[in-house]
Amino acid sequence: MVSNNFHQKCTYVLVDELTPLREKLLDAIVAKKACVRISWVERVAEEKICNEIPSYSNHTATLSAEGVSVKLADQGTRENCMEGYTFVLDSINSESKHEENSYVVCVIPGGSPYKFDCFNKIKVSSVKEIDLMCAVLTGTLDRSILISPCGEFVLFVFI
């Protein structure tokens, strides 16, 4: 079945190189659908398929996320790249009216020496939302994108 719109029955999503990352495409990625370039479809059409569909690993796309080229990793790599980290989305200013860039993603690394007792106050790193999204898509979290805490930026943990 071929469709111009993504839905759960889709098994593959056909994308051009440097396709902009939009909501529908992100929905497909979150739903663990394979995003392939037209070259994979051409290969499938050229081969006489008996029982097995050819691998698409050499035909994954490079997407564009806010002007940054992002090579999409396979699902298994994406699935485990954030293992061991805890991410908390919080408002930078509790009085902000959902303005652009008014949110911060706090990052707590796995194996953190912090003990999460009731009303514990800790300093944590943060990360830009686009950098976090790119890390998930590529399957690699580069620690250099983590912004060290400074000043009075703290996270209160309630249990």
Side-chain angles (χ1 to χ4, degrees), residues 18-63:
L18 296 177
T19 294
L21 185 63
R22 297 220 166 90
E23 186 177 351
K24 293 280 186 184
L25 182 54
L26 195 54
D27 287 346
I29 293 168
V30 169
K32 301 180 181 180
K33 305 303 178 181
C35 296
V36 296
R37 294 176 299 169
I38 191 72
S39 60
W40 180 77
V41 175
E42 291 168 346
R43 180 167 176 241
V44 169
E46 289 173 357
E47 294 185 14
K48 295 180 181 178
I49 300 174
C50 297
N51 295 328
E52 193 174 308
I53 295 176
S55 170
Y56 59 87
S57 62
N58 292 331
H59 303 275
T60 57
T62 299
L63 305 175

Side-chain angles (χ1 to χ4, degrees), residues 24-138:
K24 293 280 186 184
L25 182 54
L26 195 54
D27 287 346
I29 293 168
V30 169
K32 301 180 181 180
K33 305 303 178 181
C35 296
V36 296
R37 294 176 299 169
I38 191 72
S39 60
W40 180 77
V41 175
E42 291 168 346
R43 180 167 176 241
V44 169
E46 289 173 357
E47 294 185 14
K48 295 180 181 178
I49 300 174
C50 297
N51 295 328
E52 193 174 308
I53 295 176
S55 170
Y56 59 87
S57 62
N58 292 331
H59 303 275
T60 57
T62 299
L63 305 175
S64 175
E66 292 188 14
V68 177
S69 297
V70 181
K71 179 70 173 172
L72 191 61
D74 66 87
Q75 178 57 35
T77 303
R78 290 192 321 262
E79 198 169 280
N80 298 318
C81 78
M82 300 298 169
E83 190 172 44
Y85 287 90
T86 301
F87 298 89
V88 179
L89 179 66
D90 193 13
S91 168
I92 292 173
N93 181 347
S94 60
E95 296 164 15
S96 73
K97 303 287 188 226
H98 301 287
E99 297 170 12
E100 188 176 3
N101 300 324
S102 65
Y103 292 96
V104 65
V105 180
C106 304
V107 183
I108 304 168
S112 175
Y114 304 112
K115 186 173 181 175
F116 294 102
D117 295 327
C118 184
F119 202 68
N120 192 8
K121 184 172 96 170
I122 60 173
K123 290 189 177 187
V124 295
S125 298
S126 62
V127 64
K128 294 178 185 174
E129 185 179 9
I130 186 64
D131 290 341
L132 182 60
M133 193 178 335
C134 290
V136 171
L137 295 173
T138 62

